[in-house]
Every structure is written in structure tokens, then in C-alpha cells.
């Protein structure tokens, strides 16, 4: 067992520009060459960088925003590849540490005929799970920053407590917290534990992104309006509700709006939700003070922008590689 290799001076870094920080897993997705084939029958895969928080950081940066990824990678070739990818995307990687105590996480994916996915993860443990609370410095954050996270790294491991430290730190500075549960039951020993953990963290989020596939599982409520209303607990101010081919909706305590989905040929839905979230947070960087009093026009513009990002993403393979640029979204018709 070797010792961890620390990040590049992360403890002394203080954000200058308004920044979207993401925390959690960066991993390698192995995407199949075939579509509509069960995972056990896939014969060829292509390597692709992934991990929801890493995807979101890349989306923000690729659109022209400032983003940083907080996490831990293995001291291995896959970790090198992910670090190079994040750097190339313009993400601040100074908050990444490396370890030789575990390898970088891998995920093998199969694509169904409709572009949806089946996952198999290799992380027992993986490097991301070893990020600890004492590696998080509250001085990184300011009141103009956003912290985004998901549920994959809320399993019982040191990284769960790194999330708690980061959340408490940015809240102490009056920054915003964004949470996308991004349910992956294959990573949990018990579905009820997954549900309970997600619900434990929801009250700390100012912005909650949730999909139609997750809503009933998380809330335990079948009726959509009641389920969404139940999410407004604790600090939750905005719920972004994504519905795939049915478009997206945004809810506040005062109003809700919806935008339709664009009709596109779906190639791969991997990372589409992250492209949506990254685009939404990119827009939010310029509207932090108005989050509590956001009006319908501004909300519609933000939601439509994010929805266009997701619709472009699903026409391409991979997660980070499918993220659109600002020019692509601007030129997107409909």
C-alpha cells in the first residue's frame, strides 16, 4: 500500500472568478461499438472520459464559464488520461489529487436501441472513493461560487464526508449548491439506502436537477405534481425536471415553465443530463443574486439553453466528447 500523492497546491488556491466547482467521480466509460446489444454480448468498446461531476465541469468550461473539479484519480494511465482531458477542456484541475492506493474507476456501458444505457462499474474501491474531508479547504470557495455534486460518491466511503465538508464550506460563504441525484442503483448494496441518502442531501441543495426516471423512486410518490412539490424542502429553491424526449420543466415555489424537446436522432444518452446541468449552471453563474426572485422569462431562457445542450449531446457518442460549444447551442434552431 502506497501513500497518496497530493494535488498541486490546492490548499492554497482561492477562486478569483465566479466558479462552478464539481466534486465526485471522474472515470472511464467504455462505450460499445454495437447498439441494441446486451452488455454480456458486446465485443468491442471505445474508451471515453466520463463521470457526471467531471462531465458537468467540462460542460461549464466548454461554454466559456469557469469551472474546477474536486476529486481523486488513480496514479495510473487512466488517471493521466482523465487529467489531460479535463485540462484540455479548460477545467481547473488543481483540486485533484492522485493515489496509488486504488485505481481510477471504470464503467462499461451497453446502449439499448433507443440510446439508453446499462452500466457495470469497477470500483471496489476506486480512487475517487478515497477523497477525504481533510483534503477539502473551506477557503477555496466564495459567495459567488456554485458547488455541484451527485449521489454516486455518497456511498459509505471517505468521499461522502469530503462532500459534506465541501457543502458546509460553500454554504458558510453563502455560495450555491446544486445536486443531481443521478441514481445508479448498481453501486448500492440496498436501494432503500440509496433513496434515504439522496433524501438526506436534498435539503442542502439550492438547485435540484432530477429526471422523470428518478422522481418516483426518490420521492415515493407516483403523482408527478405532488412528487415535485415534495422536493421543496430545506434550501431547495429551483427544481429542474428533465423528461428526455418530452422536454424539460423548471419549478420554483411560485411558478413552473416547460420547454419542448427538439426532435433529433438519438445516438447515445450518456452525459446528456450532465450537458443539461452544465449549461444551466453556466447560465446561473450570471444570475446568482436573482435565484430567489428569478422571473419566468429568465427561467425560460435558462431552461431552453440547457435543453438545447442536452439535445445536441444525445446526437453524439460519449459524455465529455458529446458536450456542445456555446456557438453550437446559439446556432441550434427550435
Amino acid at each position: 500500500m502506497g501513500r497518496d500523492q497530493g494535488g498541486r497546491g490546492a490548499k492554497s488556491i482561492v477562486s478569483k472568478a465566479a466558479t462552478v466547482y464539481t466534486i465526485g467521480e471522474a472515470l472511464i466509460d467504455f462505450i460499445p461499438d454495437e447498439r441494441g446489444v446486451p452488455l454480456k454480448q458486446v465485443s468491442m468498446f471505445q474508451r471515453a472520459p466520463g463521470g457526471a461531476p467531471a462531465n458537468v465541469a467540462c460542460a461549464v468550461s466548454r461554454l466559456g464559464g469557469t469551472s474546477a473539479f474536486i476529486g481523486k484519480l488513480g496514479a495510473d494511465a487512466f488517471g493521466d488520461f482523465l487529467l489531460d482531458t479535463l485540462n484540455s477542456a479548460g477545467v481547473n484541475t488543481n483540486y485533484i489529487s492522485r493515489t496509488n492506493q486504488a485505481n481510477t474507476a471504470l464503467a462499461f456501458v451497453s446502449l439499448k436501441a433507443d440510446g439508453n444505457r446499462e452500466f457495470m462499474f469497477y470500483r471496489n474501491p476506486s480512487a475517487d472513493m478515497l477523497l477525504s474531508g481533510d483534503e477539502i479547504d473551506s477557503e477555496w470557495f466564495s459567495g459567488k461560487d456554485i458547488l455541484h455534486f451527485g449521489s454516486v460518491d455518497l456511498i459509505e466511503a471517505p468521499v461522502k464526508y469530503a462532500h459534506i465538508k465541501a457543502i458546509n464550506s460553500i454554504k458558510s460563504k453563502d455560495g450555491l449548491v446544486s445536486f443531481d441525484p443521478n441514481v445508479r442503483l448498481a453501486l448500492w448494496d440496498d436501494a432503500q439506502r440509496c433513496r434515504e441518502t439522496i433524501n438526506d442531501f436534498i435539503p442542502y441543495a439550492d438547485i435540484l436537477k432530477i429526471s422523470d426516471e428518478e422522481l418516483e423512486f426518490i420521492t415515493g410518490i407516483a403523482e408527478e405534481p405532488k412528487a415535485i412539490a415534495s422536493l421543496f424542502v430545506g434550501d431547495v429553491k429551483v427544481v429542474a425536471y428533465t423528461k428526455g424526449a418530452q422536454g424539460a420543466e423548471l419549478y420554483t415555489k411560485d411558478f413552473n415553465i416547460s420547454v419542448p424537446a427538439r426532435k433529433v436522432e438519438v445516438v447515445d444518452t450518456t452525459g446528456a443530463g450532465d450537458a443539461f446541468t452544465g449549461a444551466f449552471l453556466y447560465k446561473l453563474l450570471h444570475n446568482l443574486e436573482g435565484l430567489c426572485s428569478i422571473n419566468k422569462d429568465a427561467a425560460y431562457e435558462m431552461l431552453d439553453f440547457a435543453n438545447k445542450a442536452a439535445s445536441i449531446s444525445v446526437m453524439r457518442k460519449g459524455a465529455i466528447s458529446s458536450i456542445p460549444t456555446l456557438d453550437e447551442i446559439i446556432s441550434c434552431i427550435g
Side-chain angles (χ1 to χ4, degrees), residues 46-57:
Q46 295 180 15
R47 179 192 65 174
N55 298 341
V56 171

Side-chain angles (χ1 to χ4, degrees), residues 40-302:
K40 66 180 181 180
Q41 295 178 12
V42 176
S43 58
M44 302 254 329
F45 294 88
Q46 295 180 15
R47 179 192 65 174
N55 298 341
V56 171
C58 287
V60 172
S61 180
R62 192 165 188 189
L63 289 169
T66 301
S67 69
F69 176 72
I70 303 169
K72 183 166 285 192
L73 299 172
D76 52 35
F78 289 134
D80 294 342
F81 171 64
L82 288 169
L83 192 63
D84 289 346
T85 299
L86 291 166
N87 279 322
S88 296
V91 176
N92 185 339
T93 60
N94 287 309
Y95 305 87
I96 295 175
S97 58
R98 305 291 295 272
T99 182
N100 55 17
Q101 293 184 329
N103 292 325
T104 302
L106 309 179
F108 289 83
V109 187
S110 70
L111 299 178
K112 299 178 183 178
D114 62 0
N116 285 310
R117 304 142 295 158
E118 172 189 358
F119 290 91
M120 179 178 290
F121 294 91
Y122 285 78
R123 57 196 304 264
N124 190 34
S126 53
D128 56 289
M129 296 167 62
L130 303 183
L131 182 71
S132 64
D134 61 12
E135 294 177 271
I136 305 299
D137 188 340
S138 62
E139 294 306 310
W140 294 345
F141 309 107
S142 76
K144 57 188 178 181
D145 297 328
I146 303 170
L147 176 71
H148 175 77
F149 68 103
S151 72
V152 166
D153 270 352
L154 298 183
I155 45 107
E156 194 58 41
V159 69
K160 175 180 178 180
Y161 300 95
H163 279 65
I164 292 171
K165 176 74 174 295
I167 292 167
N168 288 336
S169 295
I170 197 166
K171 282 196 165 291
S172 73
K173 304 294 179 66
D174 295 324
L176 295 179
V177 173
S178 166
F179 181 27
D180 175 3
N182 196 32
V183 176
R184 296 288 180 264
L185 288 178
L187 296 174
W188 296 79
D189 294 332
D190 179 77
Q192 181 61 24
R193 178 68 62 84
C194 174
R195 180 186 295 108
E196 290 173 353
T197 301
I198 289 170
N199 280 291
D200 285 345
F201 278 81
I202 284 176
Y204 298 98
D206 297 283
I207 307 106
L208 180 64
K209 185 270 181 190
I210 192 165
S211 75
D212 54 349
E213 297 175 340
E214 300 166 330
L215 183 63
E216 184 175 354
F217 170 77
I218 290 171
T219 65
I221 301 171
E223 298 85 355
E224 187 176 284
K226 291 182 179 179
I228 291 171
S230 75
L231 296 171
F232 284 93
V233 294
D235 293 338
V236 175
K237 302 173 182 67
V238 171
V239 175
Y241 182 46
T242 56
K243 304 169 69 174
Q246 303 305 312
E249 299 173 358
L250 187 139
Y251 291 81
T252 72
K253 293 179 181 179
D254 299 319
F255 65 85
N256 66 279
I257 57 171
S258 63
V259 297
R262 297 177 67 242
K263 293 183 178 179
V264 298
E265 182 179 350
V266 176
V267 173
D268 181 7
T269 59
T270 304
D274 304 325
F276 176 97
T277 300
F280 188 85
L281 295 181
Y282 163 78
K283 282 292 189 181
L284 190 59
L285 276 179
H286 307 290
N287 195 39
L288 297 183
E289 294 180 358
L291 182 63
C292 294
S293 58
I294 188 170
N295 61 47
K296 283 189 176 183
D297 289 340
Y300 185 92
E301 196 275 335
M302 293 169 66

